[in-house]
Amino acid sequence: MKFIIKLFPEITIKSKSVRQRMVKILQGNIRNVLQKVDETVTVRNDWDKLMVSSKNDSPENRDKLVERLSCMPGIQAFLEVTQVPFTDLHDIYEQTAAVYGPTLANKTFCVRVKRKGKHEFTSIEIERYVGGGLNQNFPSNGVRLSHPDLQINLQIENELLYLVTAIHKGLGGYPLSTQEDVLSLISGGFDSGVASYLFIKRGSRVHYCFFNLGGAAHEIGVKQVAYYLWSKYSQSHKVKFVSVPFEPVVGEILEKIDNGLMGVVLKRMMMRAASRVAERMGVEALVTGESVGQVSSQTVTNLSVIDRVTDTLILRPLIVSDKQDIIDQARAIGTQEFAETMPEYCGVISNKPTVKARYEEVLANEAKFNFDVLENVITSAKVIDIREIANETEAQVQEVETTSALAENEVILDIRSPDEHEDKPFNPEGMTVIHLPFYKLSTQFGDLDQSKTYLLYCERGVMSKLQALYLKEQGFNNIKVYRQN
Ligand SMILES: Nc1ncnc2c1ncn2[C@@H]1O[C@H](COP(=O)(O)OP(=O)(O)OP(=O)(O)O)[C@@H](O)[C@H]1O
């Protein structure tokens, strides 16, 4: 099995040395990620492209490799190809006909050729010869050069013919670690997940910093989003997850800071702490999911007051994005499901938050704040290798029993959204299934017959674990998680 990797166009316009460095990094990243699922993978660097080869041709292996390649920054597109040697023009026709001839019935088609090397024929001559032959010898709806039903793509490189059997879109962006590392402030909501993803896609190794404002379930939820982003889009590199126990800081703010300024001061405290953590890690910039006007602490005036707390660069990739676009992007990258189930932990809730914080007033308020509290939480910040999360959260959610069998008096609670429920109905034979979407659980779970035990079901088992934890925290003990064998 072979794939031709097309580079992100911005790489191809770099100087020779920069381009060589980036392509070499991408080559290493691909090797590193793919060899975890297929040891036979090799990656060859051909200057204008990378060639990925595997000795394992099974469809399952192909699916796995396609999935991994489509999530790797730096790749614009990748082609699945069959590589064969050829002798002359007619041989190219015959080899193409053997693969594509039988698939032409009831279709319009055209042949497109890219060629490299010295040959006795031009690319256009090949297109005409192969296209004409297919048209004559196989039933079809004829050749159509624009918008055909089927475009047959051939690549010819010296004495080799590559028959392109599929073209996949890549993620784009720069290969991971070609840009500097950043520390992303992640809260588990839509915004910070998307902001983190955008930096991964741009080529930065993204480390995560979470300020725990209360609740074990919140921390587990945030860790799972961070772990998901890392394992899906950036697992070629190790990253850190930092958790800072911020409840004491919130307590101090609630006690000492004027009500209207609490939100801005909380963010300034987060930036102070994050800058120190970043400095310790040798990271030069912070990333947040803030966007102008989205909430009161995110006005230009307030953001400017927040920025003045640190010299560390604060990057805000979503600064002018609309909320709906952010939610759409979260859906596309797969973090929406986590964000929807994440509880809102505001930490401090002002009755009347100011949208125009005055800098002098903020300083005067902060003069009352006991900074030893902040020092202590920074010292007790817990830094872990993100790979530990898989085991750690697994251990934390172990208190929620997972089962694949239904006992008497147990009912499956399908907590997927109505869309998912409709797309993939889940009604195992002989089992009672109630459908109650996750967003109604907190208000409607109590109305269910509490003499029964409920086995929460969702597709990936992530949301059901989280929701089971929340319900347990709320005092419901008749909960388990259901996983199919
Ligand atoms: N508990 C937290 N831990 C780490 N970072 C946080 C935390 N709370 C907020 N942030 C950072 O501040 C940004 C703005 O947070 P805020 O709560 O004001 O807005 P938000 O729209 O709810 O953000 P999000 O959708 O990312 O939760 C977040 O995108 C995130 O980068």
Side-chain angles (χ1 to χ4, degrees):
M1 186 175 354
K2 287 201 186 296
F3 299 96
I4 293 178
I5 309 290
K6 297 283 181 189
L7 303 173
F8 175 51
E10 284 179 43
I11 301 174
T12 62
I13 54 171
K14 301 280 180 209
S15 66
K16 192 173 172 203
S17 61
V18 174
R19 176 173 171 162
Q20 265 169 345
R21 183 178 70 85
M22 290 191 167
V23 176
K24 202 157 187 276
I25 291 174
L26 180 59
Q27 181 185 16
N29 292 354
I30 295 176
R31 194 185 294 130
N32 184 339
V33 169
L34 297 191
Q35 284 184 349
K36 283 190 190 133
V37 290
D38 174 2
E39 283 175 354
T40 72
V41 163
T42 55
V43 188
R44 203 180 71 212
N45 183 347
D46 284 351
W47 175 245
D48 62 333
K49 64 178 182 325
L50 291 166
M51 179 68 85
V52 173
S53 308
S54 161
K55 293 197 174 105
N56 180 347
D57 284 335
S58 74
E60 298 78 35
N61 193 48
R62 174 225 170 247
D63 290 351
K64 272 192 222 157
L65 299 185
V66 167
E67 203 222 308
R68 301 269 160 138
L69 286 171
S70 56
C71 293
M72 287 192 69
I75 299 176
Q76 185 68 7
F78 55 103
L79 319 178
E80 257 180 281
V81 296
T82 306
Q83 175 194 303
V84 280
F86 69 89
T87 48
D88 55 19
L89 193 51
H90 189 67
D91 191 26
I92 295 176
Y93 161 71
E94 285 202 323
Q95 304 219 51
T96 310
V99 174
Y100 286 104
T103 70
L104 295 179
N106 303 319
K107 284 186 195 143
T108 55
F109 73 96
C110 79
V111 178
R112 295 278 174 231
V113 174
K114 283 199 176 144
R115 196 178 55 84
K116 212 168 116 183
K118 278 208 159 74
H119 301 100
E120 285 169 358
F121 36 76
T122 64
S123 302
I124 292 180
E125 279 167 352
I126 308 172
E127 289 175 359
R128 288 197 182 131
Y129 190 88
V130 175
L134 290 172
N135 198 25
Q136 252 176 19
N137 300 324
F138 292 89
S140 76
N141 285 353
V143 172
R144 183 183 293 166
L145 296 182
S146 61
H147 306 297
D149 298 327
L150 176 69
Q151 178 164 313
I152 298 172
N153 295 295
L154 305 179
Q155 301 217 357
I156 288 170
E157 219 178 285
N158 304 317
E159 71 289 359
L160 289 175
L161 164 66
Y162 294 102
L163 294 150
V164 181
T165 49
I167 300 179
H168 303 276
K169 198 168 171 311
L171 211 61
Y174 286 114
L176 206 72
S177 95
T178 54
Q179 309 303 316
E180 293 92 334
D181 289 15
V182 295
L183 182 65
S184 178
L185 275 62
I186 188 154
S187 58
F190 290 102
D191 306 333
S192 46
V194 172
S196 308
Y197 164 80
L198 290 174
F199 265 89
I200 294 174
K201 181 167 168 320
R202 198 64 190 167
S204 285
R205 205 148 67 119
V206 174
H207 305 275
Y208 300 91
C209 180
F210 167 60
F211 296 102
N212 196 343
L213 307 179
H218 189 197
E219 175 155 334
I220 292 175
V222 174
K223 280 181 169 172
Q224 289 194 341
V225 188
Y227 184 78
Y228 169 83
L229 282 166
W230 170 76
S231 63
K232 179 134 191 182
Y233 300 106
S234 60
Q235 60 161 280
S236 54
H237 288 74
K238 287 186 202 162
V239 307
K240 301 257 188 282
F241 183 96
V242 185
S243 177
V244 190
F246 233 50
E247 295 99 320
V249 174
V250 172
E252 186 69 9
I253 290 177
L254 290 172
E255 208 177 300
K256 309 274 177 67
I257 307 295
D258 291 351
N259 191 284
L261 293 178
M262 290 196 299
V264 171
V265 171
L266 176 66
K267 283 283 146 58
R268 282 170 56 89
M269 295 298 164
M270 285 185 183
M271 294 307 169
R272 279 189 176 98
S275 306
R276 292 273 297 284
V277 170
E279 197 184 338
R280 255 193 255 155
M281 295 168 67
V283 171
E284 288 172 84
L286 308 178
V287 172
T288 80
E290 288 159 316
S291 155
V292 163
Q294 202 184 88
V295 294
S296 57
S297 62
Q298 296 174 17
T299 60
V300 169
T301 308
N302 286 355
L303 288 172
S304 135
V305 171
I306 292 167
D307 270 12
R308 290 173 77 171
V309 79
T310 176
D311 288 338
T312 309
L313 176 65
I314 302 175
L315 296 164
R316 299 181 168 98
L318 304 178
I319 196 70
V320 291
S321 298
D322 297 343
K323 189 74 188 185
Q324 190 54 50
D325 292 342
I326 297 170
I327 293 173
D328 291 346
Q329 196 155 12
R331 184 177 301 121
I333 64 174
T335 52
Q336 178 210 19
E337 190 183 339
F338 298 97
E340 278 172 345
T341 51
M342 210 65 62
E344 275 288 327
Y345 281 101
C346 299
V348 292
I349 300 171
S350 301
N351 308 331
K352 219 170 171 280
T354 179
V355 288
K356 280 214 173 296
R358 286 192 28 246
Y359 187 54
E360 295 67 30
E361 215 179 305
V362 169
L363 291 186
N365 264 267
E366 285 182 353
K368 295 181 269 173
F369 187 92
N370 176 4
F371 278 90
D372 289 345
V373 173
L374 187 68
E375 282 305 317
N376 287 341
V377 301
I378 295 173
T379 313
S380 49
K382 196 169 169 224
V383 184
I384 58 166
D385 179 327
I386 202 152
R387 291 172 300 178
E388 286 174 32
I389 288 178
N391 308 328
E392 198 184 275
T393 49
E394 207 47 54
Q396 272 172 296
V397 294
Q398 249 167 25
E399 61 199 78
V400 183
E401 194 183 328
T402 300
T403 176
S404 57
L406 203 64
E408 205 176 306
N409 212 30
E410 291 184 343
V411 175
I412 292 182
L413 201 58
D414 180 354
I415 62 163
R416 296 172 304 160
S417 65
D419 284 355
E420 274 185 278
H421 178 66
E422 231 167 72
D423 282 355
K424 289 189 189 168
F426 179 68
N427 291 311
E429 223 183 298
M431 298 188 183
T432 313
V433 181
I434 297 180
H435 181 232
L436 183 62
F438 58 87
Y439 50 82
K440 290 191 179 158
L441 275 179
S442 58
T443 51
Q444 295 184 13
F445 184 80
D447 299 338
L448 299 174
D449 177 357
Q450 295 300 317
S451 66
K452 298 204 181 302
T453 295
Y454 293 93
L455 276 53
L456 271 49
Y457 169 77
C458 70
E459 180 109 26
R460 286 197 311 214
V462 174
M463 191 156 34
S464 48
K465 275 185 191 166
L466 270 179
Q467 292 294 349
L469 270 175
Y470 299 151
L471 289 172
K472 287 213 158 206
E473 276 199 346
Q474 283 173 28
F476 295 107
N477 284 315
N478 49 340
I479 311 282
K480 292 182 188 174
V481 166
Y482 179 77
R483 291 295 285 156
Q484 272 172 306
N485 272 330

